[in-house]
Amino acid sequence: MTNFDAKVALVLSGGNALGSYQAGVYEALHAGGLSPEWIVGSSIGAINGAIIAGNPPADRIEKLSRFWRAGTAGSIFDLPYADTIRRTAAVNATLLTGRPGLFAPIGSLGPWGSAHHNGDTPSFLDSAQLESTLETLVDFDLLNAGPVRFCACAVDIETGEEVVFDTSRERVNARHVRASASLIPMFASVGIAGRSYVDGGFSANLPLDPVLAEPGAERLLCIAADLLPKQARPPATLGESISRAQDLMFACQSRRTIARWRSQYTHDAVLGAHHVALARLAYTDQEAEVAGKAMDFSPASARQRWDAGIADAAKLLQALPTASTSEPGLTILNGFD
């Protein structure tokens, strides 16, 4: 892995507002000269991935910044619990008024209304405006014909099967990306070509399968940016318990996925002949987060998460020159698992 002598794949998990961490990860990789040739995303990871793959390298950080609107980190009040109050207020504001450019309340129907737009399922919020935002921030011609292969993962709501919208096999548009981020019942399912799709996180919130199933002939470095931690201190409040339950549902899913692929590379002679290194960067510094953190889109919180992503990816860049994929199989990089 010395001198980055490997193809780079970037896998981006779901986590809604926590996704600014992934923007920070990408900024650090970009600054370090590490450019992904393949991006696979689920939910907010698909949105971030589309912005990266659908822009030339020189424009990617600016487009991510426009999407996340990151401001100054920290609370403006030097008082106990002030930041918790700010974050909680931001969550409540999002639930009441939406997030401009992404989603909005259904309207006069209220939160228990039924949104059957174009055959979509009932939902609390309408995410249709996300498509317009993506059209503004993403060059979909470049996304589909450019140098970066892009995949957005979703789930067929009727069959329960995982579906991968892959630019190497089909033309991907803003609706495909929106479908990947349609977490029912918060958001409605999205109809495409007679089928209805929902958030890819229902199947694999950290969508490693497309990359690890077909790693290619070159040495491969797979960097996975995961937004929900598998380890944390025991919760002390009801809000912390709610937050921790959300983390565990998806983090344990990721742990099982990695363990399954480790076993497959060990016992499958064809897979085992490949040289693959996996580094999982997890947003673990969540002491300041609150219950409902995935709906806290405030600029200060976005900046804190973005900076955490920069710091974690910088540590990876420092470790890479000593990492090795000289042995065939799947190597889990120490400290990034």
Side-chain angles (χ1 to χ4, degrees):
M1 196 62 61
T2 303
N3 299 321
F4 313 128
D5 60 340
K7 176 181 178 180
V8 177
L10 186 59
V11 176
L12 304 174
S13 82
N16 214 359
L18 305 181
S20 56
Y21 172 87
Q22 296 170 344
V25 167
Y26 176 74
E27 181 175 1
L29 298 180
H30 176 80
L34 208 60
S35 183
E37 299 175 56
W38 188 2
I39 299 177
V40 180
S42 183
S43 198
I44 195 64
I47 295 171
N48 281 327
I51 294 172
I52 296 168
N55 281 286
D59 297 340
R60 292 169 180 172
I61 306 302
E62 188 270 333
K63 291 294 181 66
L64 287 168
S65 296
R66 283 174 56 185
F67 180 83
W68 286 106
R69 308 172 195 168
T72 302
S75 173
I76 61 174
F77 304 107
D78 187 19
L79 296 170
Y81 308 112
D83 200 51
T84 297
I85 294 170
R86 177 192 65 75
R87 289 172 183 267
T88 302
V91 171
N92 291 333
T94 300
L95 292 173
L96 287 172
T97 64
R99 205 275 198 175
L102 272 73
F103 53 82
I106 293 301
S108 60
L109 294 176
W112 300 107
S114 179
H116 286 286
H117 305 300
N118 300 320
D120 294 343
T121 56
S123 66
F124 293 98
L125 300 165
D126 181 358
S127 64
Q129 60 186 282
L130 172 60
E131 292 184 38
S132 297
T133 297
L134 288 168
E135 292 286 356
T136 300
L137 295 177
V138 177
D139 179 344
F140 280 94
D141 289 333
L142 178 63
L143 181 82
N144 285 279
V148 182
R149 179 181 175 185
F150 172 72
C151 299
C153 300
V155 173
D156 186 308
I157 196 170
E158 292 185 57
T159 67
E161 294 297 316
E162 180 178 334
V163 177
V164 180
F165 303 118
D166 185 344
T167 57
S168 73
R169 299 178 181 131
E170 63 187 305
R171 183 172 178 84
V172 173
N173 60 36
R175 197 162 181 82
H176 294 98
V177 179
R178 178 188 166 207
S180 178
S182 294
L183 184 69
I184 57 170
M186 188 65 69
F187 309 112
S189 61
V190 174
I192 300 173
R195 305 300 301 173
S196 191
Y197 299 100
V198 296
D199 197 292
F202 285 116
S203 175
N205 197 54
L206 184 65
L208 290 165
D209 288 2
V211 173
L212 297 183
E214 48 175 283
E218 305 168 77
R219 294 176 184 272
L220 176 69
L221 169 62
C222 178
I223 300 172
D226 204 352
L227 299 177
L228 300 171
K230 64 180 179 180
Q231 294 179 331
R233 63 176 174 79
T237 67
L238 181 59
E240 289 179 0
S241 293
I242 295 170
S243 179
R244 188 62 184 140
Q246 296 170 339
D247 293 344
L248 288 171
M249 282 189 292
F250 293 110
C252 290
Q253 180 193 91
S254 298
R255 175 179 53 79
R256 288 193 299 270
T257 298
I258 293 172
R260 171 169 55 83
W261 280 111
R262 190 197 297 261
S263 176
Q264 288 187 240
Y265 271 75
T266 299
H267 296 100
D268 186 307
V270 175
L271 277 177
H274 294 279
H275 295 73
V276 180
L278 172 63
R280 176 179 172 269
L281 299 177
Y283 173 39
T284 56
D285 184 16
Q286 299 198 19
E287 290 294 317
E289 298 288 358
V290 298
K293 59 192 176 185
M295 297 300 270
D296 173 10
F297 284 91
S298 62
S301 296
R303 171 51 57 191
Q304 177 266 319
R305 296 161 186 156
W306 188 305
D307 290 345
I310 290 175
D312 288 349
K315 293 175 185 176
L316 172 63
L317 289 170
Q318 291 176 350
L320 280 179
T322 60
S324 174
T325 56
S326 58
E327 295 297 323
L330 176 61
T331 301
I332 310 297
L333 298 187
N334 290 335
F336 303 98
D337 56 356

